[in-house]
Every structure is written in structure tokens, then in C-alpha cells.
């Protein structure tokens, strides 16, 4: 089958056509010809005055509900939500019940969506059942394909345990993921500790809960690297997920300048909203980390522009309606986000003056996973999304995920995804 894209704006920063319009011809899922003007017969012609070609997305933070959480998200709805949002590669947290912690479970997850156009990369738990009591089979899990380890969706509170995990894993080409949060400081917190928590009379989650944990983990990493005897693997790194404060950006930047193997990502909602969004007790805005101050939001954008933060993630966290439609202090944290990651980031990134938008959604997170996104050149697999400029308010009926807890309900997007393509798997006109 042949597909011809006519005069589509190329938004793949690796392409020689970046920022220009070009014709693209694909046959049987691979690029056959790329040029300024292609005259060829095709089974399907895709054209539009404002159509744009982006690489597909790589999402580094998806809460895995399986097994045990099929009522919130099952494999079919997970794949459908990812596909609709153009997320064709995603890193799953070890958050099922029971926790996927056997080599066989890792291999099963990695191949579960094979052939659908979406690929899952399972991260493994640092400790059995994420209980911070006994180590999981770290080496066995790595040999089975896991190159990413985390403490469920959070981080180890036990300092000695975290130190030993870093010491054990540093000779391997793996990433240790930490969602920094000192539980003793954030316990019972509902929103960011600031003006809104004072006005609304709710316990706040202080910036200190995040930054103290960042400082601790950086100190542990520094100690491990100083005592690695040259055995640290060059691909080993500590990765901070969902940082949300200006001070965290500063601390991580300083550590990177010192040569420490440390990376970071930010949740899309932390780049869009601030603490003011919860002023009306909207539980859809209840996320963790909480929505911070405007100063923090701007610092996160600065961190992206300066390369301190490598990737933007959805933090896709399905929550059933029964646990969202409650009083604010009783409602669960979390928002879904696979379907809206591209749309939300592209709109705000353009406002921020970013040019290579694809780097934060595709190339940098792909490098983190150790995979290569196919390039836009003859012979390579056709893998990407077609986006058009179209203002539209995101409504409940737009959601195909099983859970409907989107922080972006009622939010207006300036672009829409018109097609998703991955080799022989493709859909157009959604």
C-alpha cells in the first residue's frame, strides 16, 4: 500500500527538511521517496494546508494498573489511549497488583502489545512488592530485559536501602528512577503549600518535601560514584521523575555540571497549571506532585530550554470515577494523560518559543530508553503523527481511556492529531 503526504510541514528536527514543507511517499510502511514535489500514484493521499509531521511520542511515565486494575485500564484501552495520543513507546511503572517482579512478568509485559504499533517497556521494582523490605532479583530482572528500576510510582524512603540499590546497580547499564518526596513532610498533604493551601484551609505539600529528597539522592549518588573504583557503567544514571520545583531544577543542574550521571523529566501538567487551578476544589486537578507556583512553572520551562530536564511525561495515572468524585481531601491523586501529552505540550511550547519540540517528546526520551526513533529518510520505517492546527475544547466524549480523570477536561488545545503511523499500522482521520 502506498501513502502520499502532500506539502506537509516537517517537524522532525533531525530531518534536512525540518521547518519546511515536503512531499512524503511511503510504501508498505517504509519511506519510498522524500522530496519537495513527488508525482506518483498512491492508494491514499493525505494533504492539508496546515498539516504537520511529528515523530511519534515516547512517554517515560505510565502507571501500570495490570494485573489487578482492569476496571481502571486494561491492555486494550491502554493501547488505544496511547495510539490515539501518538505515544508509540512507553515506560510502564511497576505498579500492578501483584507487582510484576519476576523475569517472566517482565518478558510478558514487553511483548504484550506486540503487533499493535505500540511498544511497552517494563520497569522493575527495586524491592519485592514495593515494600522496601527485601531486594527484588535485580540481576535476574535486568537479564530478562529490565533496564529501568523504581520503587513503584515513588521513591525509597530508607536511605540505606537506596544507597545499596545504587551501589548494586551502578556497574550495569540501567536507570534508577526516583520520584522525589519525603513522605514525612508530605503526609496528609493535599495541594502545594502556598497561598491556595492557606486560603482553602488544606494541608499543603511543601517544596521541601521534594528538594530534601533530591538533595539526599544526589548525595548518595555522589558517594556511590566516588567509591565505584572505576566500575560504574557509562550508561548508569539516576533519573528524577516529575520534578516540580525551581530548587529541584537548580540542584539537578548543579549536579550535572559536576559530571554526575543524573537526568530528569517533568509532568506535562506541571508545565501548564499552577496552584491557582485548585481554587475551586476541582479534584481533577489533584495530582502528585501537586501543582506548584508560577515561579516554579517558569523555572521548569527554563530547565527544559537549558537541557537540565530532558523529557516531558504524561504521568498517565488512571483513577476510577468513584475515587475522584469525592470531597477534595478524600479524592485520589492522579490524571490520565496519554491522549493529551502531544497536544498540551505543543500548544504551550510554541508559546514559550521552543523550536525543537520533538526533542522533549521523542528523541531525548527514546535515548533514555536506549532505542532509536526511525529517521525521516528513504528505507526507514514510517513512524510518526500528523497534526493540524485546529482549536478545540477537550471534552469527556473525547476520552477513550477506561478512566476519565483528565486534568485537561474543559481545556482548549490549538492542535489536533489527525493520523498515527507505525509501519503497516496506521490510522488517519481520527
Amino acid at each position: 500500500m502506498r501513502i502520499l503526504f502532500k506539502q506537509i510541514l516537517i517537524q522532525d528536527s533531525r530531518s534536512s527538511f525540518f521547518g519546511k514543507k515536503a512531499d512524503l511517499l511511503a510504501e508498505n510502511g517504509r519511506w519510498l521517496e522524500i522530496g519537495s514535489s513527488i508525482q506518483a500514484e498512491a492508494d491514499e493521499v493525505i494533504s492539508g494546508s496546515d498539516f504537520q509531521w511529528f515523530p511519534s511520542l515516547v512517554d517515560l511515565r505510565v502507571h501500570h494498573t495490570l494485573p489487578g486494575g482492569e476496571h481502571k485500564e486494561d491492555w486494550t484501552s491502554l493501547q488505544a489511549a496511547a495510539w490515539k495520543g501518538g505515544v508509540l513507546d512507553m515506560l510502564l511503572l511497576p505498579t500492578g497488583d501483584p507487582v510484576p517482579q519476576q523475569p517472566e512478568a517482565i518478558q510478558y509485559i514487553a511483548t504484550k502489545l506486540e503487533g499493535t504499533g505500540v511498544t511497552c517497556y517494563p520497569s522493575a521494582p527495586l524491592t519485592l512488592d514495593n515494600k522496601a523490605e527485601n531486594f527484588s532479583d535485580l540481576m535476574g530482572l535486568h537479564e530478562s530485559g529490565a533496564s529501568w528500576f523504581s520503587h513503584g510510582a515513588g521513591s525509597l524512603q530508607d536511605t540505606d536501602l537506596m544507597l545499596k540499590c545504587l551501589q548494586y546497580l551502578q556497574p550495569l547499564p540501567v536507570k534508577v528512577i526516583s520520584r522525589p518526596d519525603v513522605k514525612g513532610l508530605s503526609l496528609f498533604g493535599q495541594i502545594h503549600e502556598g497561598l491556595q493551601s492557606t486560603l482553602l484551609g488544606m494541608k499543603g505539600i511543601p517544596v521541601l518535601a521534594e528538594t530534601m529528597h533530591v538533595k539526599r539522592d544526589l548525595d548518595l549518588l555522589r558517594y556511590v560514584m566516588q567509591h565505584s573504583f572505576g566500575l560504574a557503567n557509562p550508561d548508569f544514571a539516576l533519573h528524577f521523575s516529575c520534578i516540580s520545583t525551581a530548587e529541584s531544577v537548580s540542584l539537578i543542574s548543579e549536579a550535572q555540571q559536576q559530571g554526575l550521571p543524573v537526568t530528569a523529566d517533568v509532568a506535562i501538567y506541571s508545565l501548564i497549571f499552577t496552584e491557582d487551578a485548585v481554587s475551586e476544589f476541582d479534584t481533577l486537578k489533584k495530582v502528585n506532585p501537586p501543582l506548584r507556583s508560577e515561579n516554579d512553572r517558569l523555572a521548569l520551562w527554563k530547565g527544559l530550554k537549558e537541557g537540565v530536564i530532558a523529557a516531558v511525561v504524561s504521568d498517565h495515572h488512571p483513577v476510577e470515577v468513584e475515587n475522584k468524585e469525592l470531597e477534595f481531601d478524600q479524592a485520589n491523586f492522579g490524571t490520565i494523560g496519554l491522549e493529551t501529552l502531544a497536544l498540551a505540550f505543543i500548544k504551550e511550547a510554541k508559546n514559550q518559543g521552543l523550536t525543537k519540540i520533538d526533542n522533549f517528546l521523542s528523541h531525548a526520551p527514546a535515548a533514555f530508553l536506549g532505542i532509536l526513533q526511525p529517521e525521516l529518510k528513504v528505507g526507514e520505517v514510517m513512524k510518526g503523527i500528523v497534526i493540524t492546527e485546529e482549536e478545540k475544547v477537550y471534552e469527556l466524549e473525547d476520552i477513550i481511556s477506561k478512566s476519565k480523570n483528565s486534568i485537561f477536561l474543559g481545556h482548549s488545545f490549538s492542535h489536533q492529531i489527525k493520523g498515527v503511523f507505525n509501519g503497516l499500522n496506521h490510522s488517519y482521520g481520527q
Side-chain angles (χ1 to χ4, degrees), residues 265-286:
D265 68 51
V266 59
I268 181 62
Y269 52 76
S270 292
L271 295 171
I272 308 296
F273 301 103
T274 68
E275 58 176 329
D276 294 338
V278 300
S279 61
E280 296 182 358
F281 297 99
D282 182 359
T283 58
L284 292 176
K285 304 294 194 298
K286 186 176 181 180

Side-chain angles (χ1 to χ4, degrees), residues 29-88:
R30 291 186 178 274
W31 297 119
L32 184 65
E33 187 177 351
I34 300 171
S36 56
S37 180
I38 298 175
Q39 305 300 321
E41 293 186 359
D43 300 290
E44 186 173 9
V45 177
I46 297 175
S47 64
S49 60
D50 59 358
F51 279 17
Q52 304 175 41
W53 175 270
F54 276 87
S56 63
L57 280 66
V58 179
D59 192 348
L60 298 183
R61 188 173 176 86
V62 176
H63 293 247
H64 195 213
T65 65
L66 303 169
E70 288 79 4
H71 57 293
K72 294 184 286 187
E73 197 86 279
D74 56 31
W75 284 110
T76 300
S77 66
L78 179 66
Q79 187 276 336
W83 181 267
K84 182 181 178 182
V87 179
L88 303 188

Side-chain angles (χ1 to χ4, degrees), residues 92 179 206 241 288:
L92 301 181
R179 217 300 278 157
S241 189
N288 196 4

Side-chain angles (χ1 to χ4, degrees), residues 188-383:
F188 304 124
Q190 301 296 314
I191 61 175
H192 169 65
E193 184 182 81
L195 178 61
Q196 289 300 328
S197 66
T198 302
L199 294 175
L200 300 177
M202 288 192 289
K203 186 179 187 305
I205 300 175
V207 165
L208 186 63
E210 177 173 302
T211 58
M212 183 178 287
H213 204 120
V214 170
K215 291 176 184 176
R216 186 207 74 168
D217 283 359
L218 287 176
D219 282 343
L220 294 178
L221 179 64
R222 189 174 290 108
Y223 176 84
V224 168
M225 299 307 292
Q226 289 173 348
H227 296 81
S228 65
F229 304 105
L231 298 177
N233 192 286
D235 292 323
F236 168 77
L238 171 64
H239 180 79
F240 290 108
S241 189
C242 289
I243 64 170
S244 65
T245 72
E247 188 177 349
S248 292
V249 176
S250 178
L251 289 167
I252 293 168
S253 175
E254 182 180 351
Q256 291 171 342
Q257 292 171 22
Q258 293 171 353
L260 287 177
V262 56
T263 56
D265 68 51
V266 59
I268 181 62
Y269 52 76
S270 292
L271 295 171
I272 308 296
F273 301 103
T274 68
E275 58 176 329
D276 294 338
V278 300
S279 61
E280 296 182 358
F281 297 99
D282 182 359
T283 58
L284 292 176
K285 304 294 194 298
K286 186 176 181 180
V287 290
N288 196 4
L291 304 175
R292 301 288 189 182
S293 70
E294 176 67 0
N295 179 61
D296 291 313
R297 189 183 79 88
L298 294 177
L300 292 169
W301 277 106
K302 184 180 179 183
L304 282 171
K305 295 173 182 177
E306 294 179 350
V308 179
I309 303 172
V312 180
V313 301
S314 72
D315 195 27
H316 180 77
H317 188 177
V319 177
E320 58 272 60
V321 65
E322 293 86 354
N323 285 322
K324 272 295 185 181
E325 292 186 355
L326 296 168
E327 293 83 357
F328 196 95
D329 62 342
Q330 297 296 315
N332 282 13
F333 290 97
T335 176
I336 56 172
L338 283 170
E339 300 170 51
T340 54
L341 177 57
L343 304 181
F345 185 67
I346 288 171
K347 176 180 179 178
E348 191 62 30
K350 287 182 178 295
N351 293 336
Q352 292 287 333
L354 286 183
T355 54
K356 297 182 179 180
I357 296 173
D358 59 319
N359 189 53
F360 303 102
L361 297 178
S362 181
H363 305 315
F368 179 88
L369 291 183
I371 62 176
L372 289 176
Q373 289 287 65
E375 292 188 40
L376 188 61
K377 65 181 184 181
V378 173
E380 289 278 2
V381 173
M382 173 181 59
K383 187 176 182 182

Side-chain angles (χ1 to χ4, degrees), residues 35-181:
S36 56
S37 180
I38 298 175
Q39 305 300 321
E41 293 186 359
D43 300 290
E44 186 173 9
V45 177
I46 297 175
S47 64
S49 60
D50 59 358
F51 279 17
Q52 304 175 41
W53 175 270
F54 276 87
S56 63
L57 280 66
V58 179
D59 192 348
L60 298 183
R61 188 173 176 86
V62 176
H63 293 247
H64 195 213
T65 65
L66 303 169
E70 288 79 4
H71 57 293
K72 294 184 286 187
E73 197 86 279
D74 56 31
W75 284 110
T76 300
S77 66
L78 179 66
Q79 187 276 336
W83 181 267
K84 182 181 178 182
V87 179
L88 303 188
D89 299 277
M90 54 184 171
L91 182 64
L92 301 181
L93 295 170
T95 47
D97 184 18
V99 177
Q101 56 193 8
Q102 301 80 20
E104 296 79 11
I106 296 298
Q107 294 166 348
Y108 171 78
I109 293 170
T111 58
K112 178 60 182 177
L113 295 181
E114 209 168 58
T116 69
V118 176
T119 302
C120 296
Y121 297 85
S123 53
L126 290 166
T127 65
L128 291 176
D129 299 317
N130 294 320
K131 289 183 177 179
E133 295 173 353
N134 299 299
F135 292 106
S136 61
D137 180 11
L138 299 175
M139 184 60 72
L141 290 169
H142 174 59
E143 291 175 348
S144 70
S147 293
W148 317 275
F149 291 82
S150 71
H151 184 60
S155 56
L156 282 171
Q157 300 297 300
D158 188 307
T159 302
D160 181 58
L161 202 57
M162 181 63 175
L163 175 62
K164 286 182 169 57
C165 285
L166 292 172
Q167 288 174 323
Y168 190 87
L169 292 171
Q170 52 90 16
L172 303 175
V174 303
K175 308 293 190 293
V176 177
I177 302 170
S178 173
R179 217 300 278 157
D181 177 33

